[in-house]
Amino acid sequence: MSITSDEVNFLVYRYLQESGFSHSAFTFGIESHISQSNINGTLVPPAALISILQKGLQYVEAEISINEDGTVFDGRPIESLSLIDAVMPDVVQTRQQAFRDKLAQQQAAGTMVASTSGNQSNAPKNGEATFNGEENGTHIMNNHSEPMEMDVDVAIPASKATVLRGHESEVFICAWNPVSDLLASGSGDSTARIWNLNENNSSNSTQLVLRHCIREGGQDVPSNKDVTSLDWNSDGTLLATGSYDGFARIWTKDGNLASTLGQHKGPIFALKWNKKGNSILSAGVDKTTIIWDANTGEAKQQFPFHSAPALDVDWQNNTTFASCSTDMCIHVCRLGSDRPLKTFQGHTNEVNAIKWDPSGMLLASCSDDMTLKIWSMKQDSCVHDLQAHSKEIYTIKWSPTGPGTNNPNSNIMLASASFDSTVRLWDVERGVCIHTLTKHQEPVYSVAFSPDGKHLASGSFDKCVHIWNTTSGALVHSYRGTGGIFEVCWNSTGDKVGASASDGSVCVLDLRK
């Protein structure tokens, strides 16, 4: 048997990531030098640490159930072992002794009472050990129900799904070009990729590899850091990426590096182009946000107002933006102003994501405190405090509907994705939940509205992409991939959904009839 500290650290790192402790995972990954290990993360299945712990627990239970002479104790343990019990020698020894005492009692009773059962026996067949009285250990702890059988009526056929392979590690993010069917993806393999899914693609190559390198000893070497964020500019000519190596980068759609933006001290967690396309906004672990000049690559202004890592940013207009942080605060700042225009306080745990509605009047925020809050620049306290989720809310999205959108006659909605395995759709004007979407079996990491607002895509660590009718809440399409889904996104025409996964795959679902 061989166990290395690198292997243990990697499994703990993955457990933290999969459980939603992304910032703890980041810190642990840095301190344990995960990026320098030779473990190929794409080959390690989700829930690997839990799986191996379950097997170890079964082994201890089997050990207790088997006598010194190798025979199986014939009887059901009074209660199954907990994980903590299993690592405490006193508990294991006491349980073993109790079994032996009970066995001795049974044997003594057996010599006094003549057997009338003939050759019948309760012993397992073929010498198989019983675990908690169930053959073959079928009682394995399972925190989630078995994967649901997919309804044939909604299942997307394999012929309509294109699986793109090339990334060598988890793919955390993906985003469609706003004007053509180019799909960008960002991964833990320190690359972003641009996949050409245009029907008239004449080139042989379907992917461009954007390698994130740093200068060492006068030459470019791979940064070995996750690509954490990416965003296309509004005319689809440039792609911005943010990385754990602390640099933001601007690339042409042909995959050429146009500029490198370096002023953050540590990983970048989010970045966004403004609508005009002259500025990029980034949020970092260094507690700051920065507005960059997209033409020169220079930092226009750095905003040092958070007291802990900044997790997300969103533009209200071309010069004003909001930022949120693990410090539980939301700041609204403007280029040229040396203090926040507004600070919203009310969340009781870190704020994971923020989004302005299409009109720029309302700001939505979601948090590890399990609440969703709606804010207005006209008041200090929140307009709505929406409480319905039972676990952390990871992300939120506004529908592209209502005043100021291409769908002005449709009501505006807000979607929230949670680690409680549900997606909720909200009527923000009334402050009520319209639909609770419950088909997922694991944490939901991403939601995205179709361009017309009539459908919502959701992606979960249960490997499923579900597509819902936003009016009725009905499930209309479903696809099971090969890895946990980190991100889903719609193309500009609303007929394709992209999804990025934990096993390094990127899939594209064609929803045309």
Side-chain angles (χ1 to χ4, degrees), residues 2 4 10 22 61 82 123 149 165 178 230 244 259 263 291 295 303 318 338 350 357 384 401 433 439 470 491 494:
S2 129
T4 68
F10 184 81
S22 51
E61 288 181 343
S82 73
E149 286 300 314
R165 298 201 179 272
L230 43 79
Y244 263 27
S259 54
Q263 189 157 312
I291 292 180
N295 299 313
F303 302 83
N318 284 312
D338 60 0
E350 55 190 64
D357 77 345
H384 291 297
T401 51
C433 179
K439 298 282 189 191
T470 54
N491 68 345

Side-chain angles (χ1 to χ4, degrees), residues 345-360:
Q345 292 178 298
H347 281 297
T348 57
N349 207 327
E350 55 190 64
V351 186
N352 294 317
I354 45 169
K355 295 283 183 297
W356 290 99
D357 77 345
S359 70

Side-chain angles (χ1 to χ4, degrees), residues 247-296:
F247 292 96
R249 295 171 175 83
I250 302 174
W251 312 78
T252 67
K253 65 178 182 180
D254 301 321
N256 297 314
L257 181 63
S259 54
T260 301
L261 319 176
Q263 189 157 312
H264 278 293
K265 293 179 171 61
I268 293 171
F269 286 145
L271 89 171
K272 302 269 174 68
W273 288 90
N274 66 352
K275 194 170 185 179
K276 192 174 177 181
N278 63 332
S279 297
I280 292 172
L281 173 63
S282 60
V285 76
D286 62 7
K287 311 174 190 177
T288 74
T289 53
I290 298 176
I291 292 180
W292 306 85
D293 185 318
N295 299 313
T296 65

